[in-house]
Structure formats: C-alpha cells, structure tokens
Amino acid sequence: MASTLFDVLGDEWFCVTAVRGLGEADVLARLGAAGSDPLPRYPIDGVAEHFGLESWAVRVYCPEGTGWAYVFDALPEMGVPFREPVLKELSRGTEAVSVWQPITASVRVAHARDGKILTLFDWGRVDPASGTEPDRLNRVLDRAGFFLDEPDDDFSGPAAALEAVESEFGLAVDPQEVAGPLPTVVVPVRGD
C-alpha cells in the first residue's frame, strides 16, 4: 500500500494529525483557533507569506464520510498538531494519531485517546515506541520496517510512518484536495 498522505506531503518536513469522528467546527473549537469569518483558505504552499514563519498556523481537512478530520501544520517545523497540549485537546473523547517529520530531526509518531498521550515514537532514539499502550503502534511500525537491524537502502522513515498509520487507522485523503486551498487558522500558543 502506498501512502496517499506521503504523495502530497513528501518527506522533507510535515506534520499531520488525524482525529476520529470530529467535524470541522469541532476541530476548530478544540484548537481554540483564531481566524476571520469566513476562514481564509490556502494551498499547501501558500501559508508562510500570509502568516509568517513563526505562526502556529494549521490547515483543516474534513472529508465527508471518512470518519476522520485532519489537521496539517501549515509551517511544519513548528509541529503544532503534534504538540502535547494540542494533541490532548484534539483527542478528548475520541482518538488521534499524529506523524511529524521536522526538517532537522527524525520522524515522530504519537497516538492519543481521551485527552491522554498513549504512545510516542521518535525514530531518532532507535527505541520502540513508549507510553502506556505502545503495543499497537510498535506492531505497525515493526511491520513498516522501523525495527530492522539494517533497513533496505530505499527505506523512507516518513513514508513508512505515514503508510503504517494510514493502514492501521483506516486513514484516507484525496491528495489534490489536501494540496489545494483548505481552511487555515492560527492556533493560540498553549504551554509545551
């Protein structure tokens, strides 16, 4: 299975969090997002010039009938939807899974449910995922090739992480819609 998220996000740097069962209004409320009405819509590569390089801007994608909402960090080095307070709030009463590939570090994966971070994985630490419920994530990351002594030469951590969570959690996006204009808001900075 190829990753549709990887097709649009690539492997340089990205951050995406998928939240089960929430609509756009619920996601925006949980983010405490500040924005005008109607919300501005920007394509994947058009946010920095409007919000600046240090803003906590995110793009929200809620495809109908999939059961998942997606929060894309508009400036992925920030890792906004991966940040603990944001991830906890998004997962309150439901579950969320997040994959972050910072430009200066290795891929990270988190799984949260009911406002608690269950599992964290940082490929740069070489250890399996840790937390209160690491088995599920470790199983899918192992299948994806993360824990091999010598991975294939063409192994891509970002692609493998996205493919693993897409497969395990039943995630699916339309790459053209994700690359196109999506509602874009700034998340107020909360501790972390």
Side-chain angles (χ1 to χ4, degrees):
M1 173 185 151
S3 168
T4 57
L5 281 167
F6 187 77
D7 288 346
V8 70
L9 298 176
D11 64 353
E12 287 185 25
W13 59 327
F14 60 82
C15 185
V16 58
T17 296
V19 185
R20 187 185 300 274
L22 297 182
E24 184 177 295
D26 291 327
V27 170
L28 293 170
R30 288 175 185 223
L31 291 171
S36 59
D37 188 20
L39 294 173
R41 299 173 68 85
Y42 294 105
I44 200 165
D45 59 358
V47 177
E49 64 194 63
H50 298 281
F51 291 99
L53 294 174
E54 304 255 336
S55 76
W56 278 35
V58 297
R59 300 167 65 243
V60 177
Y61 173 59
C62 300
E64 296 220 12
T66 65
W68 289 92
Y70 300 83
V71 180
F72 296 96
D73 195 326
L75 305 159
E77 189 58 30
M78 302 301 284
V80 173
F82 193 89
R83 302 270 181 155
E84 186 174 334
V86 176
L87 192 53
K88 283 181 173 182
E89 183 63 22
L90 286 171
S91 71
R92 189 175 33 84
T94 186
E95 76 175 321
V97 61
S98 188
V99 181
W100 182 22
Q101 173 60 61
I103 198 166
T104 59
S106 60
V107 69
R108 300 171 185 167
V109 183
H111 181 219
R113 186 179 328 113
D114 294 324
K116 295 180 178 137
I117 309 291
L118 303 175
T119 311
L120 288 171
F121 172 72
D122 182 338
W123 192 28
R125 295 189 181 168
V126 189
D127 295 323
S130 62
T132 59
E133 296 183 30
D135 294 345
R136 181 179 188 186
L137 205 51
N138 280 328
R139 186 180 64 252
V140 300
L141 292 171
D142 184 39
R143 276 197 314 254
F146 276 94
F147 306 128
L148 298 174
D149 289 335
E150 293 187 32
D152 294 339
D153 289 339
D154 61 345
F155 180 78
S156 165
L162 289 170
E163 185 175 326
V165 299
E166 283 175 287
S167 173
E168 180 66 15
F169 292 91
L171 306 180
V173 299
D174 178 325
Q176 288 182 326
E177 287 182 23
V178 171
L182 292 175
T184 306
V185 296
V186 174
V187 177
V189 176
R190 295 180 256 190
D192 182 39

